[in-house]
């Protein structure tokens, strides 16, 4: 279920990015030649930078990474937050180990 959503998200993001590129190009066509490409470049850097900052700030560590470093309780806490209620998180941790 997650794989399909992630694949769809990647494809949709690519198409939205292409469309936004064309739209910004159209909006910036009347700027002076020495500014239009610079402005377009800055627009293209803003969204990825924002997404990276959000990912670093809010995305939890990988449970596999935590277990590999002996931080099993933290991994269990993250799995409890990201898995549906009723999933056997202890079994998942055991499989990781």
């Amino acid at each position: 279920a997650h794989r399909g959503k992630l694949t769809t998200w990647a494809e949709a993001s690519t198409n939205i990015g292409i469309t936004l590129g064309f739209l910004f190009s159209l909006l910036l066509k009347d700027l002076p030649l020495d500014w239009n490409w610079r402005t377009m470049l800055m627009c293209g850097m803003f969204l990825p930078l924002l997404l990276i900052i959000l990912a670093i700030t809010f995305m939890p560590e990988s449970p596999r990474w935590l277990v590999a470093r002996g931080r099993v309780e933290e991994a269990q806490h993250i799995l409890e937050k990201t898995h549906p209620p009723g999933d056997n998180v202890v079994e998942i941790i055991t499989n990781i180990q």
Side-chain angles (χ1 to χ4, degrees):
H2 293 296
R3 185 176 182 170
K5 290 177 186 175
L6 290 174
T7 303
T8 302
W9 175 248
E11 290 298 323
S13 296
T14 300
N15 290 319
I16 290 169
I18 291 169
T19 304
L20 285 174
F22 281 121
L23 178 65
F24 273 98
S25 180
L26 181 65
L27 292 173
L28 300 173
K29 70 178 177 161
D30 294 328
L31 287 177
L33 288 178
D34 60 335
W35 273 100
N36 61 0
W37 69 271
R38 288 183 176 105
T39 308
M40 188 71 172
L41 184 65
M42 286 186 280
C43 290
M45 291 187 313
F46 176 72
L47 185 60
L49 179 65
L50 179 66
L51 292 175
I52 289 170
I53 290 170
L54 288 173
I56 289 171
T57 305
F58 296 107
M59 189 177 289
E61 296 288 351
S62 164
R64 289 187 184 277
W65 185 85
L66 291 170
V67 169
R69 280 151 184 78
R71 296 161 58 181
V72 177
E73 289 181 17
E74 288 179 62
Q76 184 174 351
H77 179 68
I78 288 172
L79 287 170
E80 287 170 354
K81 285 176 31 180
T82 58
H83 279 66
D87 271 7
N88 190 353
V89 175
V90 176
E91 182 181 332
I92 296 171
I93 296 273
T94 304
N95 289 336
I96 291 173
Q97 291 173 333

